[in-house]
Amino acid sequence: MTTRIELRNVEKRYGAYDVIRGIDLEVKPGAFTVFVGPSGCGKSTLLRMIAGLETISNGDLLIDDQKMNDVAASKRGIAMVFQSYALYPHMNVYKNLAFGLETAGYAKREVDRRVRAAAETLQITDYLQRKPKALSGGQRQRVAIGRSIVRDPKIFLFDEPLSNLDAELRVQMRVEISKMHERLGNTMIYVTHDQVEAMTMADQIVVLRGGKVMQVGSPLELYNAPANEFVAGFIGSPKMNFLPVRIGDDGGVLCAGRRLEMGRQLTGAPGAAVTLGIRPEHITLGGGGEPLAEGRVDLVEHLGGSTVLHVRPRVGEGVLSVVLPGQQPCHTGDVVPLHVDPARCHFFDREGITLRS
Ligand code: ADP
Ligand code: MG
């Protein structure tokens, strides 16, 4: 049995300050859901309300269809893992894992069974006798996660648990946590400001901004069909390029007065200003696609597996990033034709909402 979480018009107010502004959300049972958004958008607040560490100002929280607003944190069947994990320095790993269960009055055998099972899941069995100071950052974070596993919760909540780790370890721990989710199959919610972390780990991503949900979807749904300019710019790296264009008389697209063959008609008033969005990996230097503009290469980044160009187009202002596969013989100052695949172009209205044709 996996657990279903539902939020109905959930709000959080601190005095006159609205932090969470009406969130409706279904967290799929057994799925790995990631809340992602810029710092300060309300991710931790939302997670803490689900955990019961923060009151809900308005709306309902349901866990398996039971209203949970006023149920104590300890009675919700939830375990939470934070960025800063405080292990007991004088206890070895075994004791760190066992301690909570022992104080809760579990029999010694049951404690031992759970500690060993958690250690196995997290591959820390070899370190059970070590003190925290003899562990690496990643091993310590695994012990901290282990302390939530031994409690056998219905739901796991993670609040930026990997932010303190260096880049290489973060990548490794992402994989570990994903594997742990596969093995345990519990409903898990993971908070991060890092869209790469969200894309690599999530079954379901919830993009938040200013206390509101911008979009919910799988990683590829968000990448392929962002609901608005914010999600389009937030998901994907390097960021999507944005160019000002206009809707032509026939619903076509005018870029600096020239008509682009987009093979579609935009809904909206002729002459209306809209934004064209194109990802760096969907621009080519000629050869297929629709010519967008010529541009001058400002900067070349040779990454080995790919080449990133910063190109200043002749029309308009700003710089477009272009990601080309492999190693390209490009130099600063080169003038290049920029082509786009019409099927990969996104259009946003003045409010930043995606235009469908
Ligand atoms: P995130 O985790 O996405 O970075 P938080 O949920 O921590 O964001 O915070 C969201 C907003 O709520 C921030 O602007 C923060 O300053 C504000 N906030 C958080 N806790 C409190 C509090 N106890 N009192 C007043 N404002 C708070
Ligand atoms: Mg936070």
Side-chain angles (χ1 to χ4, degrees), residues 51-52 67-76:
K67 187 172 162 177
M68 284 288 163
N69 294 41
D70 302 317
V71 174
S74 59
K75 299 275 188 288
R76 292 189 188 187

Side-chain angles (χ1 to χ4, degrees), residues 3 39 60 73 82 102 161 203 219 232 277 280 288 293:
T3 307
S39 174
D60 287 332
F82 299 93
E102 286 169 359
D203 298 313

Side-chain angles (χ1 to χ4, degrees), residues 43-45 159-160 191:
K43 304 179 296 291
S44 294
T45 304
D159 194 353
E160 311 228 15
V191 160

Side-chain angles (χ1 to χ4, degrees), residues 12-15 17-20 37-48 54 159-160 191-193 208 211:
K12 179 68 187 180
R13 217 165 289 122
Y14 289 113
Y17 184 41
D18 291 331
V19 175
I20 298 296
S39 174
C41 71
K43 304 179 296 291
S44 294
T45 304
L46 194 58
L47 202 67
R48 292 169 59 82
E54 206 68 75
D159 194 353
E160 311 228 15
V191 160
T192 179
H193 64 275
L208 295 166

Side-chain angles (χ1 to χ4, degrees), residues 27-28 31-35 188-191 202-206:
V27 175
K28 287 191 194 125
F32 197 94
T33 296
V34 175
F35 292 174
M188 298 189 184
I189 305 178
Y190 186 102
V191 160
D203 298 313
Q204 180 187 38
I205 298 180
V206 180

Side-chain angles (χ1 to χ4, degrees), residues 11 113 136 150 249 270 282 286 315 322 354:
E11 296 176 355
R113 189 188 67 76
S136 70
V150 294
D249 290 335
H282 299 147
V315 298
V322 179
T354 301

